[in-house]
Amino acid sequence: MSNLSIADAKLIATLRKELQLSQEMLEEIRRIIKTINDEKYREDQKARINRIQKAKEETINLQTDYLSYLTKASRALMHREEWVRIGSHILAVIDKLSGISYRLGFLTDKNWIIPENAATNLVKICDNVSAMTELLSQAMNKLLNDPSQSLGDLRKIAELEHANDALYRETIFEVLGSNISSGTMLLLTSIAEMLEDSSDTLYDIVNNLYIILLEIT
């Protein structure tokens, strides 16, 4: 059994809500990318971008509550520094996803066409990042009851991060080798980089969770 405290459990509950919101943002981003070359979806895409921004606002409120509670409960927390880092990492991912939505909004406003292969790869990266957030949520939940069971989830996250590295490189080569405007190229490379940064940041959380695992098992 885990020796995490009630305070730890409350922090985990908030973090899992933030991860769920990040999944919702990723799904909206995924759907925008899949339909980005079709003008008939423009209104739907705008609605999705608005939902992404609302999700970010919800996450900011959750993070404010998280940090407030973390400060109040600091004496009851054995792993305070790791929880601070994990909360910061998740917020950084949310910021990246929000930034991606603004770039997608610019692409749709301009009706700029993006290469199909690049769009396909970006969707795959979104799917992998979404899977990473789900696995992180599961791993955190398992910390409360059977910490050793979370190891499998953490290993899967590492595998997804490696897959995203390869997809990112492939996407960049695809974009740079395409016959598209410099503006489109700049936005697509930025979106790919932000998704890759999100993947790397989620993997950083794995390292934080390993530290907690070592201390409680």
Side-chain angles (χ1 to χ4, degrees):
M1 296 294 290
S2 170
N3 63 356
L4 291 177
S5 67
I6 294 175
D8 290 301
K10 185 164 183 177
L11 292 175
I12 287 172
T14 302
L15 291 172
R16 294 185 72 206
K17 289 178 183 177
E18 293 181 21
L19 288 169
Q20 176 59 42
L21 285 168
S22 71
Q23 279 184 275
E24 293 172 10
M25 294 172 75
L26 281 159
E27 179 58 22
E28 301 292 3
I29 289 170
R30 179 186 185 278
R31 291 182 179 276
I32 293 169
I33 294 171
K34 281 184 72 71
T35 62
I36 199 164
N37 288 338
D38 194 333
E39 291 185 37
K40 72 180 180 183
Y41 291 105
R42 290 296 180 251
E43 289 305 314
D44 177 73
Q45 291 158 358
K46 289 178 182 178
R48 292 186 185 283
I49 289 169
N50 287 336
R51 287 198 288 272
I52 290 169
Q53 296 311 314
K54 287 181 180 179
K56 181 188 177 182
E57 291 172 6
E58 288 183 54
T59 305
I60 291 173
N61 292 334
L62 285 170
Q63 188 69 198
T64 299
D65 293 341
Y66 177 83
L67 292 174
S68 176
Y69 182 78
L70 194 152
T71 301
K72 292 177 183 177
S74 59
R75 292 183 180 179
L77 294 168
M78 291 178 57
H79 323 284
R80 183 181 184 279
E81 294 305 315
E82 297 310 317
W83 291 130
V84 169
R85 293 186 182 98
I86 291 171
S88 176
H89 288 326
I90 293 176
L91 189 59
V93 170
I94 296 291
D95 285 341
K96 293 290 184 185
L97 299 181
S98 174
I100 289 169
S101 75
Y102 284 120
R103 286 157 177 78
L104 289 173
F106 193 87
L107 283 168
T108 57
D109 286 344
K110 295 292 185 180
N111 288 321
W112 287 349
I113 301 297
I114 70 175
E116 289 294 338
N117 288 341
T120 297
N121 281 350
L122 289 173
V123 167
K124 288 179 181 177
I125 298 174
C126 281
D127 288 341
N128 286 346
V129 174
S130 182
M132 291 171 77
T133 62
E134 174 62 24
L135 287 164
L136 276 172
S137 181
Q138 291 178 15
M140 287 183 193
N141 193 44
K142 290 172 184 175
L143 284 178
L144 299 172
N145 302 306
D146 193 353
S148 63
Q149 292 299 311
S150 66
L151 289 172
D153 294 328
L154 299 182
R155 292 190 189 101
K156 290 177 184 176
I157 292 167
E159 292 171 3
L160 288 167
E161 194 274 334
H162 293 320
N164 280 341
D165 284 343
L167 281 168
Y168 167 71
R169 290 191 295 271
E170 184 180 325
T171 304
I172 293 300
F173 288 139
E174 180 68 33
V175 170
L176 295 179
S178 299
N179 184 23
I180 54 178
S181 69
S182 58
T184 305
M185 189 177 294
L186 180 63
L187 286 169
L188 288 178
T189 54
S190 178
I191 289 168
E193 287 170 0
M194 295 174 89
L195 282 172
E196 169 65 1
D197 286 345
S198 297
S199 179
D200 290 343
T201 302
L202 291 172
Y203 182 67
D204 287 339
I205 296 175
V206 169
N207 296 323
N208 300 130
L209 292 179
Y210 271 131
I211 292 172
I212 294 174
L213 269 170
L214 287 171
E215 293 175 349
I216 66 177
T217 56

